[in-house]
Coordinates of all heavy atoms in Angstrom, one line a residue:
R1 N 89.4 80.8 100.9 CA 88.4 82.0 101.0 C 88.7 82.9 99.9 O 87.8 83.5 99.2 CB 88.5 82.7 102.3 CG 88.2 81.9 103.5 CD 86.7 82.0 103.8 NE 86.3 83.3 104.1 CZ 86.4 83.9 105.3 NH1 86.9 83.2 106.3 NH2 86.0 85.2 105.5
L2 N 89.9 83.2 99.6 CA 90.3 84.2 98.6 C 90.1 83.7 97.1 O 90.0 84.5 96.2 CB 91.8 84.6 98.7 CG 92.1 85.3 100.0 CD1 93.6 85.6 100.1 CD2 91.4 86.6 100.2
A3 N 89.9 82.3 97.0 CA 89.6 81.8 95.7 C 88.1 81.8 95.4 O 87.8 81.8 94.2 CB 90.2 80.4 95.6
T4 N 87.3 82.0 96.4 CA 85.9 81.8 96.2 C 85.2 83.2 96.3 O 84.0 83.2 95.8 CB 85.2 80.9 97.2 OG1 85.5 81.4 98.5 CG2 85.8 79.5 97.1
D5 N 85.8 84.1 96.8 CA 85.1 85.5 97.0 C 86.0 86.5 96.2 O 86.9 87.0 96.6 CB 85.1 85.9 98.5 CG 84.3 87.0 98.7 OD1 84.1 87.9 97.8 OD2 83.7 87.2 99.9
P6 N 85.5 86.9 95.0 CA 86.3 87.8 94.1 C 86.5 89.2 94.8 O 87.4 89.8 94.6 CB 85.6 87.8 92.8 CG 84.2 87.3 93.2 CD 84.3 86.4 94.3
V7 N 85.4 89.6 95.5 CA 85.5 91.0 96.1 C 86.5 91.0 97.2 O 87.3 92.0 97.3 CB 84.1 91.4 96.7 CG1 84.1 92.7 97.4 CG2 83.0 91.4 95.6
L8 N 86.5 90.0 98.0 CA 87.5 89.9 99.1 C 88.9 89.8 98.5 O 89.9 90.5 98.9 CB 87.3 88.7 99.9 CG 88.3 88.4 101.1 CD1 88.5 89.5 102.0 CD2 88.0 87.1 101.8
R9 N 89.0 89.1 97.4 CA 90.3 88.9 96.8 C 90.8 90.2 96.2 O 92.0 90.6 96.4 CB 90.1 87.9 95.6 CG 91.4 87.6 94.8 CD 91.1 86.8 93.6 NE 92.2 86.4 92.9 CZ 93.0 85.4 93.0 NH1 92.7 84.6 94.0 NH2 94.0 85.2 92.3
D10 N 90.0 91.0 95.6 CA 90.4 92.4 95.1 C 90.8 93.3 96.2 O 91.7 94.1 96.1 CB 89.2 93.0 94.3 CG 89.0 92.3 93.0 OD1 89.9 91.5 92.6 OD2 87.8 92.4 92.4
L11 N 90.0 93.2 97.4 CA 90.5 94.1 98.5 C 91.8 93.7 99.0 O 92.6 94.6 99.4 CB 89.4 93.9 99.6 CG 88.0 94.5 99.4 CD1 87.0 94.1 100.5 CD2 88.1 96.0 99.3
V12 N 92.1 92.5 99.1 CA 93.4 92.0 99.6 C 94.5 92.4 98.7 O 95.5 92.9 99.0 CB 93.4 90.5 99.8 CG1 94.8 90.0 100.2 CG2 92.4 90.1 101.0
L13 N 94.3 92.2 97.3 CA 95.2 92.6 96.3 C 95.5 94.1 96.3 O 96.6 94.5 96.1 CB 94.8 92.2 95.0 CG 94.9 90.6 94.6 CD1 94.1 90.3 93.3 CD2 96.4 90.3 94.5
A14 N 94.5 94.9 96.5 CA 94.6 96.3 96.6 C 95.5 96.6 97.8 O 96.4 97.5 97.6 CB 93.3 97.0 96.8
G15 N 95.4 96.0 98.9 CA 96.2 96.3 100.0 C 97.6 95.9 99.8 O 98.6 96.6 100.2
L16 N 97.8 94.8 99.2 CA 99.2 94.3 98.9 C 99.9 95.2 97.9 O 101.1 95.4 98.0 CB 99.1 92.8 98.3 CG 98.8 91.8 99.4 CD1 98.5 90.5 98.6 CD2 99.8 91.7 100.5
R17 N 99.1 95.7 96.9 CA 99.8 96.7 96.0 C 100.2 98.0 96.6 O 101.0 98.6 96.1 CB 98.8 96.9 94.8 CG 98.6 95.7 93.9 CD 97.9 96.0 92.7 NE 97.8 94.8 91.7 CZ 96.7 94.1 91.6 NH1 95.7 94.4 92.3 NH2 96.7 93.0 90.9
R18 N 99.5 98.3 97.7 CA 99.9 99.5 98.5 C 101.0 99.2 99.4 O 101.3 100.0 100.3 CB 98.7 100.0 99.3 CG 97.6 100.6 98.3 CD 96.3 100.8 99.1 NE 96.5 102.1 100.0 CZ 95.6 102.5 100.8 NH1 94.4 102.0 100.8 NH2 95.9 103.6 101.5
R19 N 101.6 97.9 99.4 CA 102.7 97.5 100.2 C 102.3 97.3 101.7 O 103.1 97.5 102.5 CB 103.9 98.4 100.1 CG 104.4 98.4 98.6 CD 105.7 99.2 98.6 NE 106.4 99.2 97.3 CZ 106.1 99.8 96.2 NH1 105.1 100.6 96.2 NH2 106.7 99.6 95.0
W20 N 101.0 97.1 101.9 CA 100.6 96.7 103.3 C 100.9 95.3 103.6 O 100.9 94.5 102.8 CB 99.1 97.0 103.4 CG 98.6 98.4 103.4 CD1 99.4 99.5 103.2 CD2 97.3 98.9 103.7 NE1 98.6 100.6 103.2 CE2 97.4 100.3 103.5 CE3 96.1 98.4 104.1 CZ2 96.3 101.1 103.7 CZ3 95.0 99.1 104.3 CH2 95.1 100.5 104.1
S21 N 101.2 95.0 104.9 CA 101.5 93.7 105.3 C 100.1 92.9 105.4 O 99.1 93.5 105.6 CB 102.2 93.7 106.6 OG 101.4 94.0 107.7
P22 N 100.1 91.6 105.4 CA 98.9 90.8 105.6 C 98.2 91.1 106.9 O 97.0 91.2 107.0 CB 99.4 89.3 105.5 CG 100.6 89.4 104.5 CD 101.2 90.7 104.9
Q23 N 99.0 91.4 107.9 CA 98.4 91.7 109.2 C 97.7 93.0 109.2 O 96.6 93.2 109.7 CB 99.5 91.7 110.4 CG 98.9 91.7 111.7 CD 99.9 91.6 112.8 OE1 101.1 91.8 112.5 NE2 99.6 91.3 114.0
Q24 N 98.3 94.0 108.5 CA 97.6 95.3 108.3 C 96.3 95.1 107.5 O 95.3 95.8 107.8 CB 98.6 96.3 107.6 CG 99.8 96.7 108.5 CD 100.8 97.5 107.8 OE1 101.0 97.3 106.6 NE2 101.5 98.3 108.4
I25 N 96.3 94.3 106.5 CA 95.1 94.1 105.6 C 94.1 93.5 106.5 O 92.8 93.9 106.3 CB 95.5 93.3 104.4 CG1 96.5 94.1 103.5 CG2 94.2 93.0 103.6 CD1 97.1 93.2 102.4
A26 N 94.4 92.5 107.2 CA 93.4 91.7 108.1 C 92.8 92.6 109.0 O 91.5 92.7 109.2 CB 94.0 90.5 108.7
A27 N 93.5 93.5 109.7 CA 92.9 94.5 110.6 C 92.1 95.6 110.0 O 91.0 95.9 110.5 CB 94.1 95.1 111.5
W28 N 92.6 96.0 108.8 CA 91.8 97.0 108.1 C 90.5 96.5 107.6 O 89.5 97.2 107.7 CB 92.6 97.5 106.9 CG 92.0 98.5 106.0 CD1 91.9 99.9 106.2 CD2 91.2 98.1 104.8 NE1 91.2 100.4 105.2 CE2 90.8 99.5 104.3 CE3 90.9 97.0 104.1 CZ2 90.0 99.6 103.2 CZ3 90.2 97.2 102.9 CH2 89.8 98.3 102.5
L29 N 90.4 95.2 107.2 CA 89.1 94.6 106.8 C 88.1 94.6 107.9 O 86.9 94.9 107.7 CB 89.4 93.3 106.3 CG 90.0 93.1 104.9 CD1 90.4 91.7 104.5 CD2 89.2 93.7 103.8
R30 N 88.6 94.3 109.1 CA 87.7 94.3 110.3 C 87.2 95.7 110.6 O 86.0 95.9 111.0 CB 88.4 93.6 111.4 CG 88.5 92.1 111.3 CD 89.3 91.6 112.5 NE 89.2 90.1 112.5 CZ 89.8 89.3 111.8 NH1 90.6 89.7 110.8 NH2 89.6 87.9 111.9
I31 N 88.0 96.7 110.4 CA 87.7 98.1 110.9 C 86.8 98.7 109.9 O 85.8 99.4 110.1 CB 89.0 98.9 111.1 CG1 89.8 98.3 112.4 CG2 88.6 100.4 111.3 CD1 91.1 99.0 112.5
E32 N 87.2 98.5 108.6 CA 86.4 99.2 107.5 C 85.2 98.6 107.1 O 84.3 99.1 106.5 CB 87.4 99.5 106.3 CG 88.5 100.4 106.6 CD 88.1 101.8 106.9 OE1 87.1 102.3 106.2 OE2 88.6 102.5 107.7
H33 N 85.1 97.2 107.3 CA 83.9 96.5 106.8 C 83.4 95.6 107.9 O 83.2 94.4 107.8 CB 84.3 95.6 105.6 CG 84.8 96.4 104.5 ND1 84.0 97.1 103.6 CD2 86.1 96.5 104.1 CE1 84.8 97.7 102.7 NE2 86.1 97.4 102.9
P34 N 82.8 96.2 109.0 CA 82.3 95.4 110.1 C 81.0 94.7 109.7 O 80.6 93.8 110.3 CB 82.1 96.5 111.2 CG 81.9 97.8 110.5 CD 82.8 97.7 109.3
E35 N 80.4 95.3 108.6 CA 79.0 94.7 108.2 C 79.3 93.5 107.4 O 78.3 92.8 106.9 CB 78.2 95.7 107.5 CG 78.8 96.1 106.1 CD 80.0 97.0 106.1 OE1 80.5 97.4 107.2 OE2 80.5 97.4 105.0
H36 N 80.5 93.1 107.0 CA 80.8 92.0 106.2 C 81.7 91.0 106.9 O 82.9 90.9 106.6 CB 81.4 92.4 104.9 CG 80.5 93.1 103.9 ND1 79.5 92.5 103.3 CD2 80.4 94.4 103.6 CE1 78.8 93.4 102.5 NE2 79.4 94.5 102.7
P37 N 81.2 90.2 107.9 CA 82.1 89.3 108.6 C 82.7 88.3 107.7 O 83.7 87.7 108.1 CB 81.2 88.7 109.7 CG 79.8 88.9 109.1 CD 79.8 90.2 108.4
E38 N 82.0 88.0 106.6 CA 82.7 87.0 105.7 C 83.9 87.4 105.1 O 84.8 86.7 104.5 CB 81.7 86.7 104.6 CG 81.4 87.8 103.6 CD 80.3 88.7 104.0 OE1 79.9 88.6 105.2 OE2 79.9 89.5 103.2
W39 N 84.3 88.8 105.2 CA 85.6 89.4 104.7 C 86.6 89.4 105.8 O 87.8 89.8 105.6 CB 85.4 90.7 104.1 CG 84.5 90.7 102.9 CD1 84.2 89.6 102.1 CD2 84.0 91.9 102.2 NE1 83.4 90.0 101.0 CE2 83.3 91.4 101.1 CE3 84.0 93.3 102.5 CZ2 82.7 92.3 100.1 CZ3 83.3 94.1 101.7 CH2 82.7 93.7 100.5
H40 N 86.3 89.0 107.0 CA 87.3 89.1 108.1 C 88.1 87.8 108.1 O 87.8 86.8 108.7 CB 86.5 89.2 109.4 CG 85.6 90.5 109.5 ND1 84.8 90.7 110.6 CD2 85.5 91.5 108.7 CE1 84.2 91.9 110.4 NE2 84.6 92.4 109.2
V41 N 89.2 87.9 107.5 CA 90.1 86.8 107.4 C 91.3 87.1 108.2 O 91.7 88.2 108.5 CB 90.6 86.5 105.9 CG1 89.4 86.1 105.1 CG2 91.3 87.8 105.3
S42 N 92.1 86.1 108.6 CA 93.3 86.2 109.4 C 94.4 86.6 108.4 O 94.4 86.2 107.3 CB 93.6 84.9 110.2 OG 94.0 83.8 109.3
H43 N 95.5 87.1 109.0 CA 96.7 87.3 108.2 C 97.3 86.1 107.7 O 98.0 86.0 106.6 CB 97.7 88.2 109.0 CG 98.2 87.5 110.2 ND1 97.5 87.6 111.4 CD2 99.3 86.8 110.5 CE1 98.2 87.0 112.3 NE2 99.2 86.4 111.8
E44 N 97.2 84.9 108.4 CA 97.7 83.7 108.0 C 97.0 83.2 106.7 O 97.6 82.6 105.8 CB 97.5 82.6 109.1 CG 98.1 81.2 108.7 CD 99.6 81.3 108.6 OE1 100.3 82.1 109.1 OE2 100.0 80.4 107.8
T45 N 95.7 83.5 106.6 CA 95.0 83.2 105.3 C 95.7 83.9 104.1 O 95.8 83.2 103.0 CB 93.5 83.5 105.4 OG1 92.9 82.8 106.4 CG2 92.8 83.2 104.1
I46 N 96.0 85.1 104.3 CA 96.6 85.9 103.2 C 98.0 85.4 103.0 O 98.4 85.2 101.8 CB 96.6 87.4 103.6 CG1 95.2 87.9 103.9 CG2 97.3 88.2 102.5 CD1 95.1 89.3 104.3
Y47 N 98.8 85.0 104.0 CA 100.1 84.5 103.8 C 100.1 83.2 103.0 O 100.8 83.0 102.0 CB 100.8 84.3 105.1 CG 101.5 85.4 105.7 CD1 101.2 86.0 106.9 CD2 102.6 86.1 105.0 CE1 101.8 87.1 107.4 CE2 103.3 87.1 105.6 CZ 102.9 87.7 106.8 OH 103.5 88.8 107.2

């Protein structure tokens, strides 16, 4: 998923640069972007 969606990839990279864990990023994506279910990835996908 992160290889095909550049916007999602940038969001995940931004969270990692802020030293957020993959689980925090996955939860934040669901809370902040409920209108984009295609961005709702599991923390395992990020790992």
Side-chain angles (χ1 to χ4, degrees):
R1 297 271 298 277
L2 297 178
T4 59
D5 192 331
V7 178
L8 174 60
R9 182 187 181 88
D10 290 342
L11 289 172
V12 172
L13 283 171
L16 290 172
R17 291 193 177 98
R18 295 173 66 182
R19 296 181 172 86
W20 290 9
S21 71
Q23 191 173 18
Q24 289 171 331
I25 296 171
W28 178 83
L29 288 171
R30 284 175 168 79
I31 294 173
E32 294 296 322
H33 301 285
E35 73 284 1
H36 291 288
E38 68 276 11
W39 293 349
H40 299 173
V41 297
S42 68
H43 59 275
E44 181 63 26
T45 298
I46 302 175
Y47 274 118

